[in-house]
Every structure is written in structure tokens, then in C-alpha cells.
Amino acid sequence: MSISSGEKFRSLSAAEFFYRNKEIAGFSNPVRAIYQAVRELVENALDAADSHGILPVIKVSIDSDVVPERPDIYLISVEDNGIGIPPDNIPQAFAQLLYSSKYVLRQTRGMFGLGAKMAVLYGQLTTGKPVEVISSTINSSRIYIFRLSIDVKENRPVILYKASLRKESDWHGTIVKLFLEGDWNRAKPKIYEYLKRTAIIAPYASIVFKDPSNNIVYFERSTTLMPKPPREVKPHPQGVDMELFKMLIQSSTTKTLKEFLVKEFQGIGEVTANSIINTVKLDPLKDPRNLTAEDIELLVKTLKAYDNFKPPRADHLSYLGEEIIKTGLKSILKPEFVAAKTRRPRVYEGHAFIVEAGIAYGGDIPPAEEPILLRFANKIPLLYDESSDVTWKVIEPKSGTIKWDIYEIKWPSPLVVLVHICSTKVPYKGVGKESIADVPEVEKEVENCIRDVARELKAYIVRRRKEFEEAEKAVSIVKYIPDIASSLAKITNESSHESIANMLMDLVLKKFKNVKIKGVGDVVLSVE
Ligand code: ADP
Ligand code: MG
């Protein structure tokens, strides 16, 4: 058998690669595509506002019947009041894959430089229509309008239309409009759920959504308390590999190895730098650009093995905090009880992360055979692949790490568990950003954090039960109040036995403020 020598080799552009592998980024079919497109645009919109200290106002709409004889094509429009995009960056931001302002060590919802472009690419492939972007930055006196498509072969933006107009108001922000083939009816529950969860995690945002049937949902801002915006950080030496080390050398302006180590990493001061340089036996004055591959390998190895660094800094992370979590849960779920906990920062593989959890119980939450889990990473709701997520492994009632009966929970129970993981590097399982891998350090923190809030819930349940039992006791005694009151009235020559009865009743009711006593004044009394 002879082997053909006619194989043709060529490389793919990034756009062509993702065009062929759309499912990697979550665009696998018309149901997922419309959900994913909304999600990517909303996440960009929120990033553009809250990462810069602006209280977000986000308007989302989906319209149908926008192309004659194509009922499967929808128009998605997302508007924000964020910082806007400079006109020179708009074409690449929306029509060149792997172009991003988020390729730095800073906690954002985006990170792959793919989201907006995948939506544009999918829209272009299924409808042949360009994306429209309207944007104005905060200090600009003009509003820019672009219509763009992607040259897939070259991975370059094609500008089909460009215009600008003078700004008459102080509006700043971005509006993105794109057409795509979707399946609204099947995506509808997920999109609604996504927006509801976004409103829970960002109660400081005002979000309006209009669906294709012109139903309007308004998630009103319920607090003006906002998380501290994230800040960019230098890499921690223990999270660095050869490639990152080389990239840091390329972008650094430092002249000596010692200066390079001190300036480009967090947690390395003069003393630590000296000790590392001594270990590797290199010249501290050597120009970092002249380091050989062997030098770099040795340095990376030494940095990884050195165990005397300060832990990675976490003050750059943007966590929500207990107040915001509680407000979000209360305003959307209307439970009877909430608790929240933000844990101290921890580290995995040189990356700082913070876990926060919330618990909501009772009230409008329907009882179920398992907890309703609300997962978030860097403020993004994660909706798919729940069963493979690290948190599910912890809370699953049958085989999970947490045994709920310790916390007085018996199934069915009206229980919602919220978990938020934030980090400059969230250990997602795939670029679709849908579930979190079971990194041991993360798993432990998730468990501990849920236990923290579950303990508060337990205390509440125990307290309530005690109150309930006492109220039941009271109810059995309260029945005799009318008789007692009239006997007392006789003894004391008091004319109105009713005022005595009311007094005694008030005394009892004051004590059981939190327990509903039904039928007060009637003969039949019961406790709820
Ligand atoms: P990523 O969000 O991962 O960076 P995207 O393709 O979603 O990738 O977005 C690319 C870039 O476009 C972002 O990094 C951001 O700089 C810019 N961008 C996108 N949408 C907006 C928006 N609504 N407001 C401001 N900037 C935006
Ligand atoms: Mg994005």
C-alpha cells in the first residue's frame, strides 16, 4: 500500500477555526446560540459599567419577524450605559476573533476575546447580515455607528458602513444589534432564568428585557451598593510558566534580572529576588532579554519551588460581599430567611480566588427534593452542565459532601444555595464558561463557605421550631382566656371582661410575632 503524497497543509485563521468549532464557544445549535448571544452581549454590557464604577442600566430586546419569510431569524439588541468603546477599536472588538481589552490579569466576565465575535460570526453565517454597533465613550463629543462583518478566511473586520454624529446629551455606552437564526421558544426558559440570575447577582443593576411577544420584564435596581471594581495585578511567581515568563520579558522595560523580578511580579522584593538569583547562580545585572531558554527554565522551576512568597494578593478581586448577596436573594426570590458569607481569599496554582455563598429558605421558594443551586463565576450565572460542576458535587443531597440533615434540612425543602467564585483565573471546564472544575482548593472553600451559611440556617430553623412549639402550647392555653377574663372581671368588679381578654391576648401575640396564629378571637386556634 502506498501512502498518498498529495496531502495539502495549511493553517486556519482564528475565525475559521471557531467557525468550524462553534460548539466550543457555546454556539452549537439555534437554541444555545440565541441564549449564548444574549449572554455574551449582556456580560460585555455589565463589564463596561460595573468594572468601571458605573451603576449599570442594561436594556435587552429580542424581536421576531424581522426578515420576511424567515420566522427563525431574530434581532437581538443590547444597550448599556458603560464606558463605551473608542471608534478605532470597534471594528476589531466586534469582528476580529481573539481581540480583547481583557487579556490582562484583571477579574472580568469576559476573558477569551471571543464572546461578541462568536455572536457576530454566528449571526453572519445564519443570516448574512452584519452587526451594528453604536457607541460613545465618556468624554467623547461624538457617537459612532458601525456596520461590520467578519472576513472569516483572514480573521479581519470588514467595515460596511461607518458614520458619526455630534452628541447632544451626555449619553455614553454601547448599543449592539445583531440578527441571528435562533429558536426562541426553546431558549426562552433559559434566557429568562439567565436574566433572573443576573438580577440576583447584580441587584445594583437595572435590567429591562423585552421578548419577541413584547412581554416586558423589569428587574429594578434594589440597592446602589456596588462591588469594588476589579484592578489589574501582576502575576504571582507561583502561577507563572515558561511562556508567560517569556512574554513578561518581551513587554518589560527593566534592564537587569533583579529589577525584572522585583518589578514584574507580585510578592518579590529585594531580599526574595536576591535569594532566588543566588539559588540559580545567575548574574543579577544580566539583561533579562539575554536570558537563555535554560536560564528561564531554571528560573521558573526555582520560582515554583520557592515556598517563602507572600500569598497572591486578592485586594484586586471584585467580590460582591454579604450585603449585596442578601439583597439580591431577597428582592428576587422573596424567601423567609437569607444568609450570606464571603470567605477570605485563598490560592490555587498561584491564582487568588474568593468564594462567597448565600442561602435562601422558605417564603416564595417552592419545596423540592434537592436544593436549587445558583452558580456564579466572576458574576456570571452558569446555567448548563450543573451536574459536572464542583459545587454540585458538594451539595448534592444523596452523595454530596454536605449531609443536609446535620443542618436540619429534610427533603423536600424550600432551599436555594448560591455560590460565587471570583478570580482572575476561574478554573472553567471549557471556553463555554458553564461549569467549574473540581480543583481541590476551590472545592474545599466552596464546601466551607456553604457550611458557614448552612449553620446560620440551622440556627434559624431550630429557633423557629422552638418558637412554633411554644406557640402551640400558648394556643392550647389561649382557649381559656375568655373564661379566665370573665372570672377575673367578676372578682375585680371590672365591668368589661373584653378589655382583660384583649390584654391577655396581646401579651401572647407579642411574644409570637414570627409565628402566624390563625383564628385568634374565634374558638378554633391553630399555629402556622
Ligand atoms: P471579551 O469580553 O472576552 O474581551 P468580547 O469579544 O466579548 O471578548 O469583547 C471584546 C472586547 O470588546 C472587550 O474586551 C471590550 O473591550 C470590548 N467591548 C465589547 N462589548 C463592549 C461594551 N458593551 N462596552 C464596552 N466595551 C465592549
Ligand atoms: Mg465578552
Side-chain angles (χ1 to χ4, degrees):
M1 194 178 73
S2 73
I3 295 168
S4 158
S5 58
E7 292 283 35
K8 290 200 182 77
F9 291 86
R10 72 176 183 99
S11 67
L12 290 182
S13 80
E16 211 177 345
F17 172 79
F18 284 104
Y19 157 65
R20 291 176 182 218
N21 299 287
K22 293 182 280 297
E23 64 291 342
I24 295 181
F27 288 80
S28 44
N29 58 56
V31 183
R32 274 302 279 272
I34 188 168
Y35 157 79
Q36 194 73 24
V38 167
R39 185 184 148 167
E40 295 290 356
L41 297 183
V42 168
E43 277 153 25
N44 283 348
L46 286 165
D47 265 345
D50 71 2
S51 293
H52 302 274
I54 302 169
L55 283 168
V57 179
I58 312 288
K59 298 171 191 165
V60 184
S61 68
I62 304 179
D63 286 288
S64 58
D65 300 320
V66 281
V67 177
E69 279 143 44
R70 285 293 304 274
D72 56 337
I73 292 184
Y74 295 87
L75 170 62
I76 301 178
S77 166
V78 177
E79 173 175 344
D80 65 64
N81 62 337
I83 53 162
I85 314 163
D88 291 348
N89 301 121
I90 291 177
Q92 281 152 305
F94 286 88
Q96 179 172 327
L97 277 89
L98 308 183
Y99 182 89
S100 171
S101 61
K102 304 173 192 168
Y103 291 146
V104 287
L105 269 190
R106 182 168 49 125
Q107 178 199 329
T108 57
R109 295 175 175 85
M111 67 193 273
F112 298 116
L114 275 180
K117 277 79 75 167
M118 282 308 294
V120 172
L121 182 63
Y122 189 87
Q124 176 175 329
L125 294 172
T126 54
T127 73
K129 289 185 180 295
V131 60
E132 183 169 285
V133 182
I134 301 165
S135 190
S136 185
T137 53
I138 291 179
N139 292 318
S140 164
S141 58
R142 303 196 74 78
I143 298 176
Y144 293 86
I145 304 165
F146 283 83
R147 270 180 223 131
L148 305 162
S149 66
I150 302 173
D151 175 341
V152 176
K153 271 258 165 336
E154 300 297 328
N155 188 25
R156 296 211 63 80
V158 182
I159 302 173
L160 301 167
Y161 174 83
K162 178 182 172 181
S164 77
L165 38 110
R166 220 187 19 207
K167 205 154 75 171
E168 305 293 349
S169 65
D170 56 3
W171 180 78
H172 53 84
T174 302
I175 305 171
V176 182
K177 294 179 181 184
L178 60 87
F179 292 88
L180 57 69
E181 185 187 295
D183 184 340
W184 160 253
N185 285 328
R186 288 180 52 210
K188 181 178 169 180
K190 280 278 190 222
I191 292 178
Y192 268 107
E193 188 61 25
Y194 171 79
L195 291 171
K196 185 173 120 190
R197 292 190 190 194
T198 301
I200 291 177
I201 202 80
Y204 52 85
S206 148
I207 303 171
V208 186
F209 174 53
K210 186 197 82 60
D211 79 7
S213 319
N214 287 327
N215 295 317
I216 295 175
V217 196
Y218 177 35
F219 297 100
E220 206 177 336
R221 170 178 300 138
S222 53
T223 174
T224 51
L225 197 64
M226 264 219 289
K228 190 170 56 92
R231 277 185 291 122
E232 189 179 338
V233 274
K234 295 172 188 165
H236 190 271
Q238 277 165 339
V240 169
D241 57 22
M242 295 262 304
E243 281 315 308
L244 182 57
F245 201 94
K246 284 186 209 160
M247 282 193 273
L248 289 170
I249 292 175
Q250 268 170 22
S251 61
S252 177
T253 53
T254 54
K255 297 278 183 295
T256 69
L257 174 59
K258 183 167 162 189
E259 197 193 349
F260 173 74
L261 290 176
V262 172
K263 285 247 172 79
E264 302 299 340
F265 295 93
Q266 50 165 306
I268 302 188
E270 299 272 325
V271 180
T272 315
N274 284 337
S275 137
I276 285 163
I277 291 169
N278 275 341
T279 316
V280 293
K281 299 193 173 54
L282 286 169
D283 176 3
L285 297 178
K286 190 167 182 159
D287 184 334
R289 265 157 290 266
N290 295 336
L291 290 168
T292 64
E294 289 77 46
D295 294 342
I296 294 175
E297 197 180 342
L298 185 61
L299 275 161
V300 170
K301 236 162 98 191
T302 312
L303 289 174
K304 278 221 192 300
Y306 189 82
D307 57 5
N308 221 355
F309 293 119
K310 282 199 215 112
R313 293 173 51 168
D315 54 352
H316 59 288
L317 292 178
S318 176
Y319 56 87
L320 293 158
E322 294 162 10
E323 268 323 297
I324 294 182
I325 295 177
K326 285 198 271 190
T327 307
L329 287 170
K330 264 193 240 164
S331 70
I332 306 288
L333 301 176
K334 314 251 180 306
E336 172 189 323
F337 172 85
V338 288
K341 174 79 188 175
T342 300
R343 303 263 306 173
R344 290 225 314 279
R346 294 289 141 113
V347 181
Y348 82 94
E349 293 166 18
H351 310 288
F353 70 99
I354 290 178
V355 173
E356 321 182 82
I359 229 167
Y361 179 83
D364 283 2
I365 301 169
E369 286 301 331
E370 46 189 38
I372 299 171
L373 173 59
L374 307 177
R375 296 174 292 140
F376 299 89
N378 287 352
K379 303 182 201 131
I380 302 181
L382 311 180
L383 261 63
Y384 285 91
D385 307 337
E386 177 177 89
S387 58
S388 65
D389 191 279
V390 62
T391 302
W392 188 245
K393 206 174 135 187
V394 172
I395 69 163
E396 202 273 313
K398 288 197 191 75
S399 55
T401 333
I402 290 185
K403 303 288 170 248
W404 286 101
D405 49 358
I406 307 176
Y407 302 103
E408 301 288 332
I409 296 288
K410 293 182 184 58
W411 307 105
S413 235
L415 180 68
V416 170
V417 176
L418 175 155
V419 171
H420 178 219
I421 298 171
C422 50
S423 176
T424 45
K425 191 166 185 307
V426 173
Y428 289 117
K429 279 194 169 163
V431 294
K433 297 183 287 195
E434 285 296 353
S435 71
I436 295 186
D438 34 9
V439 177
E441 294 87 339
V442 175
E443 184 173 339
K444 197 74 212 151
E445 266 310 282
V446 166
E447 182 190 329
N448 287 339
C449 198
I450 296 174
R451 287 193 191 284
D452 288 339
V453 282
R455 267 194 298 275
E456 282 188 52
L457 174 62
K458 177 183 177 176
Y460 171 77
I461 291 176
V462 169
R463 198 169 63 234
R464 239 205 87 125
R465 187 185 305 139
K466 222 174 110 209
E467 231 175 38
F468 185 84
E469 283 162 7
E470 277 178 5
E472 273 186 330
K473 223 184 275 167
V475 159
S476 61
I477 298 172
V478 149
K479 280 185 215 143
Y480 303 106
I481 286 183
D483 290 345
I484 297 171
S486 61
S487 309
L488 278 175
K490 272 184 209 141
I491 297 170
T492 57
N493 295 330
E494 182 73 52
S495 58
S496 157
H497 61 86
E498 266 162 28
S499 71
I500 300 180
N502 287 343
M503 223 166 67
L504 291 172
M505 202 59 160
D506 284 351
L507 222 56
V508 174
L509 291 180
K510 220 167 33 198
K511 160 90 176 137
F512 299 108
K513 274 200 295 286
N514 300 324
V515 185
K516 261 196 221 137
I517 300 181
K518 285 207 300 195
V520 173
D522 298 341
V523 189
V524 188
L525 282 161
S526 67
V527 173
E528 200 175 67

